[in-house]
Amino acid sequence: MSIVTDWNLDVKRYLQFCSDGIPQSDRPRVCPHCAETVMLHRHGRFFRCVFTLTERFVIPIFRFRCPRCGKTTSVLPAFLLPKQQTAVDIQEEVVRGETGGASRMAMARQSAAWPGGPWSVRTIRRWCRRWMDMLSKLEDRLAAWLLSRYPQSVLPRKREPGWSLWFACWERLGPSAQAGSLLERLNRLARPLSVTVPRR
């Protein structure tokens, strides 16, 4: 099981911030397995190759162990999904492309120019389906999160299905308020808030 951080860090800033491990003040304090409120103990790390739209990185993923139940968990940055090497920015580019009318075949061809690419049409389809499923499950939470932090945001009374509305709302926030990409925010919302590492 993984915990997704609520830090607004890209890959380079993550590498700097975690150069000596996750700081004591930002270590997880709730076990995602037994739900106990307890400081999890450091339990090593492993490395994962990560492909973004512009570069390939190798990043450390830190593991923690619960002193109560003895189970371990990994702490993932929000730009990465569990068991994935492609960063969320690549997958968001694909979802935005499809939302804008590009075919999955065209997105697969375009992915040849990205580090780690090209990806197959099947992979592109799997990404789009996964994110659409996540959006359909978390749409109400996304709206609540958006309005609680940016009450000046105006959401239409009748929401349109799919991504168009959400990408438009996200763009209206402006870069300083966005706190990462829209898909990164969904990745954060997909985890229980009680087991999310404190926001940075």
Side-chain angles (χ1 to χ4, degrees):
M1 187 175 287
S2 301
I3 296 173
V4 174
T5 68
D6 204 18
W7 306 328
N8 182 24
L9 299 176
D10 59 21
V11 182
K12 290 181 179 178
R13 289 191 295 151
Y14 171 82
L15 286 169
Q16 293 171 351
F17 182 68
C18 296
S19 60
D20 294 321
I22 293 177
Q24 179 84 5
S25 60
D26 290 314
R27 281 167 50 189
R29 290 174 175 79
V30 177
C31 175
H33 299 281
C34 67
E36 287 288 331
T37 301
V38 61
M39 178 71 77
L40 275 63
H41 296 170
R42 291 188 178 107
H43 196 66
R45 64 181 176 174
F46 61 92
F47 291 88
R48 181 172 298 174
C49 177
V50 177
F51 297 104
T52 70
L53 278 170
T54 57
E55 294 182 65
R56 173 190 178 273
F57 297 90
V58 176
I59 69 167
I61 304 293
F62 297 95
R63 294 181 58 75
F64 292 85
R65 183 177 181 274
C66 176
R68 301 276 173 85
C69 69
K71 293 184 179 178
T72 60
T73 188
S74 301
V75 174
L76 291 179
F79 56 76
L80 194 60
L81 293 171
K83 301 178 183 176
Q84 298 257 323
Q85 289 186 316
T86 51
V88 170
D89 65 343
I90 287 180
Q91 298 185 34
E92 181 157 334
E93 188 74 10
V94 167
V95 173
R96 283 181 179 272
E98 185 176 66
T99 302
S103 69
R104 290 175 181 169
M105 180 65 76
M107 296 307 302
R109 283 196 299 269
Q110 183 180 344
S111 74
W114 302 331
W119 283 277
S120 68
V121 172
R122 181 179 292 180
T123 298
I124 300 291
R125 181 172 60 244
R126 188 171 63 246
W127 290 346
C128 291
R129 284 180 179 171
R130 177 191 298 123
W131 287 107
M132 192 66 237
D133 288 346
M134 196 179 293
L135 179 64
S136 65
K137 290 174 185 171
L138 297 172
E139 197 166 19
D140 289 340
R141 285 184 66 186
L142 179 59
W145 178 88
L146 190 69
L147 291 173
S148 69
R149 283 152 181 83
Y150 309 105
Q152 74 280 7
S153 299
V154 178
L155 296 179
R157 291 183 182 176
K158 183 177 179 182
R159 292 192 216 151
E160 300 171 14
W163 290 102
S164 300
L165 164 71
W166 293 111
F167 283 131
C169 287
W170 205 254
E171 295 304 320
R172 283 196 295 269
L173 291 181
S176 61
Q178 286 171 1
S181 74
L182 175 58
L183 269 58
E184 283 181 12
R185 175 51 50 192
L186 276 180
N187 190 25
R188 294 168 181 163
L189 291 174
R191 308 292 178 193
L193 294 179
S194 61
V195 297
T196 302
V197 174
R199 180 179 359 204
R200 179 157 296 272

